[in-house]
Amino acid sequence: MSFDACAAMVARADPERFAATMTAPVAKRGGLFALYAFNLEVARAPWVTAEPMIAEMRLQWWFDAIGEIFEGKPVRRHEVVEPLAMTIGEGGLPRAPFDALISARQFEIANEPHTDWEGLKAYIRGTSTGLLQLACLHLEADLPEDALEKIGLAFGLANLIRALPELDAAGKRVLPSGLPASEPMGAKDVVVQMSNLQNAAGEALAGLQTARGMRLPKVALPALRISLWAETILKQTAADPKVMMTGLEMPSEFQARRKRLWQSITGRW
């Protein structure tokens, strides 16, 4: 059993979470890496195969693995499952967010857009808010539900917006449009979709700014620093939703290092 494998996985595939985790106390880093590696394993399940049944089997494997951990059964010999089981046991983490995260990924297998914006928010709640809650609980920070909802929505929507070009290139339509994936979108449909995205970004941005004004426990900071540019992405989208087609103006790696240093010095996120 090794947390190092989880850390290496996160460093390769999710460098922002890796950098944020390195600001956590050493004793807490392994558990965060295990949680984030689990997220990566589940997130990639719908992408590694074009066969829906195989993707479903991959997600079911994780449902079963999580169930065995919480039911006290023998833990599967797997580079992520074993460290995850130790993290769950030591921190007494709840099962519901794990199941919700896996369930949310099942939506991606069908390759259909969300039916409406409430459906998209529910998906983000499963994939983003639940993981944020688990990370905070592992850090012994019990954030208010309102804060978790606002921050989770902002982080999740920002990351989704950032991934839109890649999703589009893969032929995956995720934003609500009122049309099935097999039906082409007309100019009017695109305008409506962009307007809805703009409104959603504005809502998420307002929620994030409200959460920044809350008195949240400092021990939660490593979990709150996982999406370095969420506010930047949401501001750009709220100002002009066409960035989903023209591309976001993302800061440089030098600016990222400078912001992380500023966060470290000021104790902010």
Side-chain angles (χ1 to χ4, degrees), residues 14 16 124 151-165 175 194 196-206 208-209 212 225-252 256 259-260:
D14 199 344
E16 286 191 18
I124 292 174
I151 300 168
L153 175 63
F155 285 3
L157 183 59
N159 289 337
L160 179 61
I161 292 169
R162 194 173 182 175
L164 283 175
L175 297 179
M194 286 189 179
N196 288 336
L197 178 62
Q198 186 174 31
N199 292 336
E203 175 190 340
L205 177 62
L208 179 61
Q209 291 171 339
R212 289 194 191 283
R225 291 170 174 163
I226 60 172
S227 189
L228 194 63
W229 302 118
E231 191 165 5
T232 298
I233 294 168
L234 294 173
K235 282 182 177 178
Q236 288 185 42
T237 308
D240 182 6
K242 288 195 294 294
V243 297
M244 64 181 281
M245 295 188 304
T246 59
L248 295 159
E249 295 181 10
M250 295 302 296
S252 67
K259 185 170 182 177
R260 291 191 184 103

Side-chain angles (χ1 to χ4, degrees), residues 163-236:
L164 283 175
E166 182 181 358
L167 292 168
D168 184 63
K172 291 182 178 289
R173 277 170 41 186
V174 296
L175 297 179
S177 64
L179 299 171
S182 58
E183 187 172 336
M185 294 176 59
K188 185 177 179 180
D189 299 316
V190 173
V191 170
V192 171
Q193 187 183 63
M194 286 189 179
S195 176
N196 288 336
L197 178 62
Q198 186 174 31
N199 292 336
E203 175 190 340
L205 177 62
L208 179 61
Q209 291 171 339
T210 297
R212 289 194 191 283
M214 298 179 180
R215 294 177 62 88
L216 302 179
K218 290 187 179 299
V219 291
L221 285 174
L224 299 176
R225 291 170 174 163
I226 60 172
S227 189
L228 194 63
W229 302 118
E231 191 165 5
T232 298
I233 294 168
L234 294 173
K235 282 182 177 178
Q236 288 185 42

Side-chain angles (χ1 to χ4, degrees), residues 35 64 106 136 233-234 250:
L35 290 171
D64 294 342
Q106 288 179 312
C136 287
I233 294 168
L234 294 173
M250 295 302 296

Side-chain angles (χ1 to χ4, degrees), residues 3 20-36 87 90-93 134-141 219 222:
F3 288 95
T21 300
M22 293 304 291
T23 69
V26 174
K28 293 294 184 180
R29 292 176 190 173
L32 290 176
F33 285 136
L35 290 171
Y36 297 150
T87 301
E90 289 181 350
L93 299 180
L134 290 169
C136 287
L137 290 175
H138 173 69
L139 292 167
E140 302 178 46
V219 291

Side-chain angles (χ1 to χ4, degrees), residues 33-57:
F33 285 136
L35 290 171
Y36 297 150
F38 160 76
N39 177 60
L40 289 171
E41 287 284 285
V42 174
R44 72 176 186 168
W47 290 80
V48 295
T49 176
E51 295 294 331
M53 185 175 294
I54 296 177
E56 287 281 3
M57 290 172 62

